[in-house]
Amino acid sequence: MKRALITGITGQDGSYLAEYLLDLGYEVHGLVRHVALQDGRDRLQRLTPILPRLRLHSGSLENAASVFHVVQRVQPDELYHLGAQTFVPYSFEDAFSTLQTNINGTHFVLEAVKQAAPHCRIYFASSSEMFGNADEQPQRETTRFHPRSPYGIAKVAGFHLTRNYREAYQLFACSGIMFNHESPRRGFEFVTRKITQHAARIKRGLAKELPLGNLDAQRDWGFARDYVRAMHAMLQQSTPQDYVVATGETHSVREFCELAFGHVGLNWKDHVVTKPELHRPAEVFTLIGDATRARQELGWSPLMPFRELVESMVDHDLALIDGLKPTP
Ligand code: NAP
Ligand code: GDP
């Protein structure tokens, strides 16, 4: 039985990945912050259905010793490093702590594997935010990085650290350059979930307005459950490589609003108000990925179409309000 260790297991991707690996017969371990073990009902809610099958270890990405001890104790065959401060606007507000957690955290993980479990294969959750204002469309593995936020800068550093541990110490370490991926488990502050939650609340008469920032921003939005398959596939290759994971389609925030509100019979223009304070100091205007390498070498392709993704998120948020579903 293969043993996997996931950092960020309590998050959107971590929860889908844990389910996927359990289904494949893995023994799944997670590194979680100590508070999650103290206050599990809230902080472990995405894991509720699979909790009895997981082995959780407390540790923080800010503390090298705790990361080292967990890696040494678990001796994983595969480590998926997903833990990070993930919200771009917060990375402007508190750049220092974002850089510290995201860069040092990645470095601690790589060094812990090098010292305590060098046989272990490592996946690093890299991001399309590294491309920022890219000088080519679509973006592929060879596109120049031009990050536009402390979050993006930290991902560039993590990407290069991962590559350097691969080249210098022969670790099997690779990065998935993942474009945005969403689901009913997405955090409420991200634009997709903010829109679907508000569309549902407005439909049920619980709210009237949805404040948003830049409606022209365009993203290549996929479904998170599809993306965790690619993470796993990368670690099953004969040689480690970095891969873009994307749908190859891009849509604007405005288009997302149209579909989400339209799905519940509302006109988004009656409810969306734009607020200058929700614009970012430096914006990433358009992202669209070319996942040819992942398609050809990993046999990966996304299954969920964009419209279905939006509608399933709205349906889920309606069901949450109506008390028909537990929080995912
Ligand atoms: P998420 O839902 O925000 O989850 C982030 C995870 O990181 C949570 O489990 C969180 O734990 C953990 N974490 C944060 N700070 C930590 C710390 N100091 N010590 C230990 N754990 C810590 O993010 P996601 O959407 O699943 O994304 C997973 C990874 O993929 C992230 O690295 C993200 O940057 C990257 N990525 C995501 C996307 C996307 O569209 N979703 C795209 C590209 C790349 P708590 O529950 O304790 O807060
Ligand atoms: P990101 O691509 O990781 O930054 O994911 P987000 O979901 O946070 O943002 C996607 C895009 O939506 C960005 O270009 C934002 O500027 C834009 N956006 C517009 N209004 C909002 C808003 O109210 N909240 C968030 N989070 N993003 C918004």
Side-chain angles (χ1 to χ4, degrees):
M1 181 190 275
K2 274 197 193 172
R3 195 177 301 143
L5 172 62
I6 305 174
T7 72
I9 194 170
T10 58
Q12 170 188 257
D13 292 5
S15 64
Y16 282 118
L17 179 64
E19 287 169 11
Y20 185 64
L21 295 177
L22 285 171
D23 284 348
L24 291 176
Y26 278 63
E27 179 181 302
V28 179
H29 294 249
L31 179 142
V32 297
R33 297 194 241 209
H34 189 61
V35 280
L37 298 177
Q38 290 173 327
D39 174 19
R41 212 169 43 143
D42 197 28
R43 291 170 178 269
L44 300 176
Q45 54 169 298
R46 291 183 178 103
L47 300 173
T48 308
I50 55 168
L51 212 43
R53 300 164 67 198
L54 299 175
R55 299 169 199 213
L56 301 181
H57 308 264
S58 71
S60 167
L61 293 170
E62 279 125 43
N63 177 344
S66 74
V67 173
F68 182 86
H69 287 309
V70 174
V71 171
Q72 190 178 45
R73 199 174 331 133
V74 174
Q75 287 295 312
D77 299 298
E78 296 173 11
L79 189 154
Y80 296 86
H81 175 42
L82 311 182
Q85 192 299 100
T86 59
F87 192 46
V88 171
Y90 186 70
S91 81
F92 286 105
E93 275 173 44
D94 192 354
F96 288 99
S97 78
T98 300
L99 294 175
Q100 192 162 318
T101 304
N102 293 9
I103 300 178
N104 287 351
T106 304
H107 198 178
F108 297 157
V109 165
L110 289 162
E111 186 59 25
V113 168
K114 174 178 161 249
Q115 288 191 30
H119 64 280
C120 172
R121 296 184 168 203
I122 306 167
Y123 171 84
F124 170 59
S126 198
S127 164
S128 55
E129 286 291 318
M130 299 193 299
F131 297 125
N133 272 353
D135 45 21
E136 66 173 343
Q137 309 280 358
Q139 295 86 46
R140 45 183 71 89
E141 291 81 2
T142 49
T143 302
R144 196 171 57 91
F145 298 147
H146 183 159
R148 296 267 287 171
S149 64
Y151 171 84
I153 291 165
K155 287 295 180 186
V156 172
F159 177 89
H160 287 306
L161 278 166
T162 303
R163 184 184 46 71
N164 197 233
Y165 269 72
R166 178 170 75 222
E167 293 172 359
Y169 309 116
Q170 289 74 51
L171 292 192
F172 191 112
C174 44
S175 294
I177 307 173
M178 299 255 163
F179 283 62
N180 296 48
H181 43 278
E182 318 296 312
S183 75
R185 299 183 193 173
R186 187 61 144 149
F188 288 105
E189 71 273 40
F190 293 90
V191 78
T192 53
R193 190 76 195 278
K194 186 172 171 184
I195 295 169
T196 62
Q197 188 197 36
H198 277 75
R201 285 176 58 78
I202 293 168
K203 178 66 183 174
R204 290 291 183 257
L206 299 173
K208 286 197 166 65
E209 276 189 354
L210 165 57
L212 287 178
N214 180 15
L215 303 181
D216 295 322
Q218 294 180 299
R219 289 290 181 276
D220 180 330
W221 279 300
F223 177 40
R225 195 188 282 284
D226 285 341
Y227 284 44
V228 301
R229 283 189 286 111
M231 298 176 189
H232 175 258
M234 282 178 216
L235 296 197
Q236 314 314 310
Q237 301 307 297
S238 49
T239 44
Q241 263 224 79
D242 306 318
Y243 294 88
V244 159
V245 180
T247 69
E249 277 181 34
T250 195
H251 300 273
S252 66
V253 172
R254 181 179 286 102
E255 217 177 320
F256 198 106
C257 289
E258 259 170 38
L259 280 181
F261 280 82
H263 184 54
V264 289
L266 297 172
N267 185 343
W268 69 279
K269 289 183 186 159
D270 297 334
H271 303 284
V272 170
V273 287
T274 51
K275 303 267 184 195
E277 63 271 24
L278 291 174
H279 284 248
R280 297 173 181 187
E283 175 66 297
V284 171
F285 295 103
T286 300
L287 290 174
I288 178 167
D290 174 358
T292 303
R293 181 187 285 176
R295 219 171 28 247
Q296 289 177 347
E297 295 181 16
L298 306 178
W300 179 86
S301 56
L303 298 175
M304 171 91 77
F306 178 63
R307 175 185 285 272
E308 204 178 314
L309 172 66
V310 178
E311 294 182 353
S312 67
M313 289 175 69
V314 175
D315 287 341
H316 184 89
D317 282 331
L318 277 174
L320 272 186
I321 293 171
D322 297 342
L324 300 174
K325 269 201 180 151
T327 314

